[in-house]
Amino acid sequence: MLTKTIKAFWHWAVLMQQSFLLQKNLFMKKQILYLLSLFVIVFATNGCNTKTDITTPGPAIFLLTQTSPDAPNVDFVVNNQLVFTNVPPYDSSLYYLGIPGGIANFKVAQTGSSSLLLDENIDLAPNTAYSIFTVDSLNKISFAVVVDSFSTPSSDTALLRFFNFSPNSPAVDLALTGDTVLLFANRTFNDQAVFTSYGGFGFMNPATYNFEIRETGTSTVLYNFMETFEGGKAYTIYAKGFIGGIGTQAFGTSTIANN
C-alpha cells in the first residue's frame, strides 16, 4: 500500500507541475516546489489515493495574511492541518500554500488555545491563486478572499494594488507625496469584497517612491511611507491598524510581495 501511495503521489506531482507550467504567469517555481512539499495537507484531505484523486485538476494555492489589528497571535488550520502558527498581526505566509480545489475548511485559533476565532468553509477553484486575509477588529473578525490574477510583469515593470483593511478609517486615497494624481481613490474598509475589480493590479515603474494616504476628497494626510518596487514583481499594499491607535494597532501600511 505504501509503495502504491508513493507512486500515486509522484504521478499527482507530475500532473500538478504540468498544470502549473501551463500557467507560468503566476505559479512560480518556488510555489511549485512548496506545493510538492505539502504531501501531508493534500493527502490528509483526500485520504488514500485513487484513480479519481490522481486525475483531479491542479490545486488551488493561497497566501495567508493576518490583518486584524487587535487580534492575538493566531494559528491557521486548513482541513484540520496546522499550516501557519503563532502569527502576529500583519504577518503573511512566506509562500503560497496548495490544496485540492473545492470546499476547504479554514480555522483560526488563538495560539496556545483551542478556542476558535474563525471556522469557515471557503470554495477555492482549481488552478487559481488567492490571498486570504483575516480582517476587522477581533470582535468582528472575518475572512476576506481575493483572487490573485495577474501576468508576471517584465523586468522593467512592477504591479501594485491597494486594500483598506483599517476597520475605523474613513475613505482614503493613495497618492505619491505631494501629487494631485490619485493612484487609488475613495477606498473604504474591505471594499474589494464588494467591488471585485479592486483585486486587480496596476502598473508602476520599478523605483523607490514616497507615498501618502489621504482622507478622500481632502488634503489631510493620514500616513506617509516609502516603498521600493522591483521589476518583474507584483505587490499588495494595505492600510492597517486603527485611526487613533497606538503601538502595533496604530494606523499604517504593510506590503506583500505576491511573487
Side-chain angles (χ1 to χ4, degrees):
M1 178 64 185
L2 179 59
T3 300
K4 290 181 178 179
T5 300
I6 293 172
K7 288 181 177 178
F9 167 67
W10 285 112
H11 281 300
W12 174 86
V14 169
L15 287 173
M16 181 169 61
Q17 270 194 302
Q18 291 172 344
S19 174
F20 271 55
L21 288 172
L22 292 174
Q23 300 185 53
K24 290 187 284 186
N25 290 338
L26 175 58
F27 302 111
M28 307 301 290
K29 180 179 178 181
K30 69 175 183 179
Q31 296 163 347
I32 295 172
L33 291 174
Y34 192 82
L35 288 169
L36 293 178
S37 74
L38 291 174
F39 174 86
V40 174
I41 296 177
V42 173
F43 281 78
T45 301
N46 282 346
C48 186
N49 291 305
T50 66
K51 183 176 180 181
T52 301
D53 293 329
I54 296 169
T55 57
T56 298
I61 64 172
F62 56 90
L63 192 71
L64 296 168
T65 303
Q66 205 294 83
T67 77
S68 178
D70 58 342
N73 286 17
V74 300
D75 297 336
F76 286 88
V77 178
V78 181
N79 287 346
N80 296 317
Q81 299 294 311
L82 179 65
V83 297
F84 197 21
T85 187
N86 199 25
V87 184
Y90 322 129
D91 200 6
S92 298
S93 53
L94 294 178
Y95 298 93
Y96 282 84
L97 310 178
I99 199 166
I103 301 295
N105 179 254
F106 285 74
K107 295 183 179 72
V108 177
Q110 180 174 345
T111 298
S113 170
S114 60
S115 177
L116 293 179
L117 305 177
L118 283 171
D119 184 352
E120 186 175 321
N121 292 328
I122 300 175
D123 192 2
L124 303 177
N127 300 315
T128 305
Y130 298 87
S131 286
I132 300 177
F133 304 88
T134 56
V135 299
D136 216 334
S137 54
L138 179 59
N139 64 346
K140 295 186 290 184
I141 193 170
S142 63
F143 286 118
V145 182
V146 182
V147 174
D148 292 346
S149 179
F150 63 91
S151 297
T152 301
S154 60
S155 60
D156 60 352
T157 304
L159 298 177
L160 176 64
R161 65 182 177 183
F162 174 72
F163 299 139
N164 182 355
F165 290 144
S166 172
N168 71 336
S169 76
V172 299
D173 302 331
L174 179 67
L176 299 180
T177 300
D179 201 329
T180 58
V181 176
L182 303 180
L183 301 175
F184 300 92
N186 196 29
R187 297 302 300 272
T188 58
F189 172 71
N190 201 27
D191 56 2
Q192 83 293 327
V194 177
F195 304 103
T196 56
S197 63
Y198 288 176
F201 292 81
F203 294 97
M204 298 286 289
N205 292 322
T208 297
Y209 295 95
N210 291 301
F211 292 99
E212 56 189 27
I213 295 180
R214 307 174 193 146
E215 185 172 351
T216 292
T218 75
S219 59
T220 301
V221 176
L222 302 175
Y223 188 71
N224 291 287
F225 64 102
M226 179 184 294
E227 197 65 58
T228 298
F229 301 137
E230 297 180 16
K233 299 291 186 179
Y235 299 90
T236 299
I237 294 176
Y238 63 89
K240 66 182 184 181
F242 297 114
I243 298 292
I246 59 175
T248 59
Q249 297 183 24
F251 184 79
T253 62
S254 280
T255 302
I256 301 168
N258 289 96
N259 67 341

